[in-house]
Amino acid sequence: MHSRTRILATIASCVFPAVLAAQDTVTEQSSKVPFPTRVTDPAGAEQVLMGMGLRTRTILKVKVYAFGLYVDSARAKEVLSAFAGRDHKALRDDQNFYDALLEGEIPMTLRLVMTRDVGGSDMADAFDGALRPRVERAAAEKDLPGGVEAQEQFRGYFNVEQMTKESELLFTCTPDGMLSSTVKGKAMPPIASRALCWALFDVYLGAKPISGDGKKNVIANFPQLLGAASSN
């Protein structure tokens, strides 16, 4: 195991969630939810905001939560160097780019902010429905077993009466598959599962995301990070 990975694993084994940095914020326009431009991840490294999206439900497009994607910028530049020089349109239409993100070699964080009250059990059920086929696929196609058991532990993190409006959730995954979580400001025990990490980010970045527009929007800042001006 490389020294960087050992350090990440040691730090992530503590209950040390991503921390919001006191930096500038930007607003997800549909929900008006502010997002800090940077967070500090469980390894103590800074992650930068790549973009924001919105989760809606039903034919009426009811807003459920806003979400943002953060990455370790230095590691992202290294891992995604093959995509340098491409604009936003080129990246958002290329599943190979999303697949490279999902390989798990980049420390990444998802920040979710509720835009309405949702029952804790309803939120748990929603994540279960999205994650279960993905952790099964991780085992069958990617040789990443153990996701179902990890998912059961993850479900318990939503054991609250309500995910009230403006409640915040933070999920950080490290390259060695350590998931650190906070739910409504409470740090949860880390879960060591590469399968669950892959499945969780596949919900938003995979070939069948829960929000097609959100998938495109959360990678909006990659062109600047990798060395190209973005375009629509």
Side-chain angles (χ1 to χ4, degrees):
M1 182 182 292
H2 297 300
S3 59
R4 173 182 170 82
T5 303
R6 285 198 298 268
I7 293 171
L8 286 171
T10 300
I11 296 175
S13 65
C14 304
V15 181
F16 182 23
V19 177
L20 299 182
Q23 301 286 344
D24 294 336
T25 61
V26 293
T27 300
E28 197 286 314
Q29 291 302 309
S30 296
S31 63
K32 307 305 179 186
V33 171
F35 282 80
T37 57
R38 295 171 176 82
V39 299
T40 301
D41 72 14
E46 185 177 85
Q47 292 188 17
V48 295
L49 180 65
M50 290 292 98
M52 301 158 291
L54 184 67
R55 171 58 166 157
T56 61
R57 292 295 301 272
T58 78
I59 194 171
L60 299 178
K61 301 293 184 182
V62 175
K63 299 172 184 177
V64 182
Y65 59 81
F67 58 95
L69 175 69
Y70 296 80
V71 301
D72 180 312
S73 59
R75 185 60 177 155
K77 288 179 183 179
E78 180 182 355
V79 172
L80 302 173
S81 60
F83 299 94
R86 301 177 64 180
D87 65 18
H88 181 211
K89 185 178 186 302
L91 292 180
R92 75 188 187 191
D93 295 332
D94 186 355
Q95 186 57 43
N96 290 325
F97 174 72
Y98 296 100
D99 290 343
L101 281 173
L102 289 168
E103 285 300 312
E105 297 181 9
I106 305 169
M108 298 196 295
T109 295
L110 282 166
R111 178 180 186 244
L112 281 57
V113 179
M114 305 301 298
T115 56
R116 61 185 292 109
D117 294 352
V118 177
S121 61
D122 291 336
M123 196 72 173
D125 287 345
F127 268 108
D128 266 359
L131 288 171
R132 187 163 298 277
R134 288 174 166 88
V135 297
E136 291 173 353
R137 181 182 165 206
E141 300 179 13
K142 298 182 173 297
D143 194 26
L144 296 175
V148 173
E149 294 81 1
Q151 182 188 344
E152 289 299 324
Q153 181 179 350
F154 185 70
R155 179 187 173 89
Y157 293 175
F158 300 93
N159 187 24
V160 296
E161 183 175 346
Q162 272 197 326
M163 296 298 302
T164 52
K165 184 178 180 180
E166 298 183 358
S167 292
E168 178 188 77
L169 302 92
L170 289 165
F171 305 118
T172 299
C173 278
T174 61
D176 59 342
M178 187 68 69
L179 171 63
S180 297
S181 308
T182 60
V183 178
K184 299 183 69 172
K186 181 180 179 180
M188 301 298 182
I191 301 174
S193 174
R194 291 183 61 205
L196 183 58
C197 278
W198 177 86
L200 179 59
F201 281 86
D202 188 75
V203 169
Y204 301 90
L205 302 173
K208 296 181 179 180
I210 61 169
S211 171
D213 289 339
K215 172 182 172 176
K216 296 174 182 178
N217 292 336
V218 295
I219 57 99
N221 291 333
F222 273 104
Q224 293 96 321
L225 179 67
L226 300 178
S230 65
S231 64
N232 294 321

